[in-house]
Amino acid sequence: AWQRLACLALVLAAEALPRGGTVALRPGGGGPAIEADGETVRLAPEAQAALQSGTTIENLTVRGLHAYLCARFATELKLKLAPPRAEPRRLRIEFVAI
């Protein structure tokens, strides 16, 4: 499940880089941390809602799929998502122990 969470989070971070950039997997507070750096960095609103467990499976869209699965795997691993930190050219998604 750790590997699945890391892979899904990497894909989610790559989706936040519409003009390209770099994605890195880093150690975090009890779980993986993903950093996306690029000219334009933004998560789709559907992805933001899914990361914060604000989406049900019935309301899931393609733009929220990877975020929804990240949230589900994190819960399975007894992790929660720290609020995503967005800076002008960087996004950090970190999972921490509950």
Side-chain angles (χ1 to χ4, degrees):
W2 282 100
Q3 292 87 355
R4 288 186 214 133
L5 176 59
C7 288
L8 284 166
L10 286 167
V11 172
L12 177 63
E15 289 174 350
L17 295 167
R19 293 185 168 194
T22 60
V23 176
L25 176 64
R26 309 242 188 258
I34 310 300
E35 290 182 356
D37 296 295
E39 185 179 326
T40 305
V41 181
R42 66 174 173 264
L43 280 175
E46 298 94 331
Q48 291 176 2
L51 278 174
Q52 296 165 353
S53 301
T55 302
T56 62
I57 192 84
E58 294 82 18
N59 296 326
L60 193 60
T61 66
V62 172
R63 292 186 187 260
L65 178 63
H66 292 113
Y68 176 82
L69 291 172
C70 280
R72 298 290 294 184
F73 280 119
T75 301
E76 181 180 315
L77 292 167
K78 300 199 182 340
L79 298 172
K80 68 176 182 173
L81 176 75
R85 291 187 293 179
E87 299 170 13
R89 297 180 63 128
R90 174 175 287 165
L91 171 71
R92 182 173 172 93
I93 302 169
E94 187 171 357
F95 297 91
V96 295
I98 296 177

